[in-house]
Amino acid sequence: MSEAPEPTVVRLPEGRGAGKPVAQPGHGGYPDHTRARSPYAAHHTLIARARSFGFGKISFVLLVVLPTLVTAFYFAFMASDQYAVEAQFAVRSKETGGGSMDGLTLLSGITGSAPSTSDSYIVENFIGSRDLVGKIDDDLNLRKLYARPEADYFASVDSEAPIEDLVDYWREMVTTEFDKYSGIITLTVRAFRPEDSVTVAQKVIGYSEALVNDLSRRAREDAVSEAESEVARAENRLRLSRRAVARFRGEERRLNPVETAKAREKIIAELEGERAKLETQRSAVISMSPNSPRLTSIESQIQAVVKQIEAVRFQTNQTDGKGEGTLNQQLSQYEELETEREFAERAYVSSLASLEKARLEAVSQNRYLAVFVQPRLPDLAAYPLGLRWTMTVLAAAFLFWAISGLIVASVRDHMA
């Protein structure tokens, strides 16, 4: 066996500590821990220590280079081309004129209004729903369409996939974006053949338009139904108010207390005028001949007129002994009934107008799907985005490798 090399000894110059041997680092003869205390230890970083614990070139190749190469190889040689078509549409409604409406029209509850963005959200959710996927699957057989021979294994769908997996796959291949400010829905459909993407997009637009038409039809039917119910309520109210007026006339035996009151007021006014005329004559006779026999006759006429005025007023404010109220009471009740009848008539007329308006609107389509960007046959494949995904995998793998190295180095450093 060869003997270990002897340590190199250097003598210090004369002075303090002269003649003491000093061992040179790196030549043996001293424990290894003396190296850790050298000034060079300050330059050791955590990544350098991680490299000493196995996170060096091998780990970098396994965790960063290999996944990136696999991803790049897949997108370069295995990933199938995907053709995308784009369509843009919006849910629109007819502009309704803001004509004048009285209080009765507002009470009827039948007023025109433009649809809110909720209709667009309904269409957007419908495009990703299982209902639409089932309908289009019945028409086109989506499992076969998205399992073309051109499709690679990872991008295609299983021909025996359940409907739930098919819906998840559909939401990856068919996406929508809704701009709530403009109300525009952007539809993007991907497929492995250009004609397939156009066909699927046309089917989506067709069923979306049918949904909007159905919503419009239901809204029109609801408006007509509500208008008819309002007419029925107004008609019943008018019928009851007319019956109340007729019952009042039968019970009080007066066709129109208002006209009776007017007639009595006219009689009283005429009697008051006659009384004033007689009083004028009496004043004239007294001034000319205070003892004239004519004065007695005028006095008698004045007294008769006064009694007649009091009798008419007494009839207005007193019952006739047969259970009937005074004319004032009858007049108050009749005015209330007549006001109710007139209001019921106006409400009935207004409800008829609202019903006619609802029927006219029901004839036309007040909601519709406006497609202003039609799906066109693509010439080039827009997907998959190989370079983007490769760079994403590279960045994620490198970040994972760096964080893992720092964690392992930190743990080993505390354990040492």
Side-chain angles (χ1 to χ4, degrees):
M1 294 179 61
S2 60
E3 296 181 357
E6 297 181 358
T8 304
V9 179
V10 179
R11 299 287 182 176
L12 293 177
E14 296 182 358
R16 185 176 181 179
K20 292 184 179 180
V22 178
Q24 296 294 326
H27 295 279
Y30 284 86
D32 292 337
H33 63 82
T34 56
R35 298 182 182 181
R37 298 177 181 177
S38 66
Y40 301 100
H43 299 283
H44 288 193
T45 61
L46 289 177
I47 294 181
R49 294 189 179 187
R51 214 180 268 123
S52 65
F53 293 125
F55 277 85
K57 296 180 180 180
I58 297 178
S59 62
F60 183 80
V61 171
L62 293 177
L63 297 179
V64 179
V65 177
L66 184 60
T68 304
L69 292 177
V70 171
T71 304
F73 178 81
Y74 168 74
F75 284 109
F77 301 102
M78 297 179 59
S80 55
D81 292 337
Q82 299 178 17
Y83 297 88
V85 297
E86 184 178 283
Q88 293 183 352
F89 52 86
V91 180
R92 288 291 180 260
S93 65
K94 288 186 176 181
E95 297 294 337
T96 56
S100 60
M101 296 183 294
D102 56 6
L104 292 175
T105 305
L106 295 175
L107 288 176
S108 65
I110 309 300
T111 58
S113 60
S116 62
T117 55
S118 60
D119 295 326
S120 300
Y121 283 117
I122 290 174
V123 174
E124 185 182 22
N125 292 332
F126 174 73
I127 293 176
S129 66
R130 174 175 175 173
D131 187 17
L132 179 62
V133 174
K135 292 178 180 179
I136 298 182
D137 185 38
D138 295 337
D139 297 340
L140 303 178
N141 191 356
L142 292 177
R143 294 177 178 84
K144 180 180 179 181
L145 187 143
Y146 282 106
R148 299 289 191 187
E150 299 90 339
D152 62 89
Y153 175 79
F154 298 100
S156 62
V157 66
D158 187 4
S159 59
E160 301 297 331
I163 186 63
E164 290 78 10
D165 294 342
L166 183 61
V167 171
D168 294 337
Y169 182 82
W170 169 270
R171 292 172 180 172
E172 294 179 0
M173 304 299 289
V174 179
T175 58
T176 57
E177 293 182 4
F178 174 60
D179 187 355
K180 63 180 179 180
Y181 298 103
S182 62
I184 296 175
I185 299 176
T186 302
L187 171 69
T188 303
V189 178
R190 289 186 287 166
F192 301 106
R193 293 180 181 178
E195 58 273 13
D196 290 344
S197 59
V198 175
T199 303
V200 173
Q202 291 175 346
K203 283 290 182 179
V204 171
I205 294 175
Y207 280 113
S208 299
E209 186 174 5
L211 173 65
V212 173
N213 294 338
D214 185 59
L215 293 175
S216 178
R217 177 185 58 81
R218 292 182 183 180
R220 296 194 301 267
E221 291 178 354
D222 292 342
V224 173
S225 177
E226 180 63 25
E228 291 175 347
S229 301
E230 185 63 28
V231 169
R233 289 192 293 267
E235 185 178 3
N236 183 59
R237 181 179 182 181
L238 179 59
R239 185 184 301 110
L240 294 177
S241 63
R242 287 177 175 176
R243 287 179 181 178
V245 172
R247 189 184 308 111
F248 172 84
R249 289 172 176 173
E251 294 176 353
E252 300 296 337
R253 293 183 296 179
R254 293 186 188 277
L255 293 178
N256 194 338
V258 176
E259 296 298 329
T260 303
K262 289 181 179 179
R264 290 188 179 182
E265 288 294 328
K266 184 178 180 180
I267 293 174
I268 292 176
E270 292 177 353
L271 292 175
E272 289 288 351
E274 184 67 21
R275 176 184 176 181
K277 188 184 297 183
L278 291 174
E279 288 179 350
T280 302
Q281 293 178 5
R282 183 183 61 179
S283 299
V285 171
I286 291 175
S287 61
M288 296 177 59
S289 178
N291 298 324
S292 175
R294 187 182 175 188
L295 186 60
T296 304
S297 175
I298 295 175
E299 290 287 351
S300 299
Q301 292 179 10
I302 292 174
Q303 292 178 3
V305 171
V306 171
K307 288 181 179 179
Q308 193 172 0
I309 292 174
E310 292 178 353
V312 174
R313 290 178 175 174
F314 183 78
Q315 292 175 0
T316 303
N317 298 290
Q318 182 177 336
T319 60
D320 58 0
K322 297 180 181 180
E324 299 177 0
T326 64
L327 181 61
N328 289 334
Q329 295 175 350
Q330 294 174 1
L331 184 62
S332 177
Q333 296 177 5
Y334 181 78
E335 287 178 345
E336 291 179 359
L337 296 175
E338 191 66 16
T339 300
E340 172 64 20
R341 184 186 65 80
E342 292 177 356
F343 189 84
E345 287 181 352
R346 294 179 60 190
Y348 179 68
V349 173
S350 177
S351 62
L352 287 177
S354 299
L355 176 59
E356 187 65 22
K357 180 181 178 181
R359 287 176 176 173
L360 290 176
E361 291 180 351
V363 176
S364 61
Q365 185 179 11
N366 55 4
R367 284 186 180 93
Y368 59 94
L369 192 72
V371 183
F372 53 90
V373 175
Q374 296 287 347
R376 302 299 181 185
L377 194 68
D379 295 331
L380 299 175
Y383 294 89
L385 304 174
L387 180 59
R388 179 185 298 180
W389 281 108
T390 302
M391 297 305 296
T392 301
V393 170
L394 174 61
F398 181 80
L399 184 63
F400 175 77
W401 173 79
I403 294 176
S404 300
L406 291 174
I407 294 176
V408 172
S410 177
V411 173
R412 293 288 180 86
D413 185 64
H414 283 81
M415 293 175 59

